[in-house]
Amino acid sequence: MTDESERAVRAAIDGEMRLLDPEVRASPDRVLELLDPEFTEIGASGRRWDVESVLTVTSSGSVSVASPVKVSEMSGAVLAPGVVHLTYFADNQGRRAWRSSLWRLTETGWRMYFHQGTLTG
């Protein structure tokens, strides 16, 4: 991986981890800085989400400071210039899922464009 690719993957990972941070999630403005205006998600529940619906959930305290999401097996790949794909395993209070997200570089920085979660046993 080139230095540029490594920086891109690191930026996407940093953004992903910020979105999982309970303090960031509690602030709609901070979440909006990380979500692309065209963001969509297919959640582990099968529900389709957009920016507005995600803001409702994140601001409701869906992740607590006392029990943050545990992340493992994080990896990333540059798919094209300005596009990074991340995959990782997340455990949110026993709700375990494989997660996949696409990040794209915009004029204002790296933003999550798409996210998907798949529950696992």
Side-chain angles (χ1 to χ4, degrees):
M1 193 178 313
T2 68
D3 286 347
E4 185 176 332
S5 292
E6 286 180 22
R7 282 192 298 275
V9 169
R10 174 53 40 205
I13 289 172
D14 289 347
E16 191 84 39
M17 297 307 292
R18 286 175 45 211
L19 279 171
L20 292 171
D21 181 322
E23 291 181 14
V24 171
R25 293 171 72 86
S27 168
D29 290 338
R30 291 173 74 185
V31 172
L32 282 173
E33 290 173 1
L34 296 166
L35 294 181
D36 192 276
E38 298 177 22
F39 169 81
T40 59
E41 175 177 344
I42 300 171
S45 65
R47 181 176 172 191
R48 186 175 171 95
W49 302 82
D50 60 13
V51 173
E52 283 186 36
S53 58
V54 164
L55 286 176
T56 300
V57 170
T58 58
S59 62
S60 71
S62 61
V63 175
S64 75
V65 175
S67 56
V69 176
K70 295 177 186 138
V71 173
S72 60
E73 300 184 50
M74 177 78 75
S75 66
V78 174
L79 300 180
V83 180
V84 172
H85 179 225
L86 297 180
T87 58
Y88 61 98
F89 185 77
D91 185 330
N92 185 9
Q93 301 177 22
R95 188 167 193 246
R96 301 159 40 101
W98 282 106
R99 301 277 174 180
S100 175
S101 58
L102 292 174
W103 287 78
R104 69 178 176 180
L105 185 59
T106 68
E107 292 177 0
T108 59
W110 286 94
R111 291 181 166 213
M112 184 185 285
Y113 175 75
F114 177 78
H115 186 80
Q116 181 167 359
T118 304
L119 291 178
T120 185

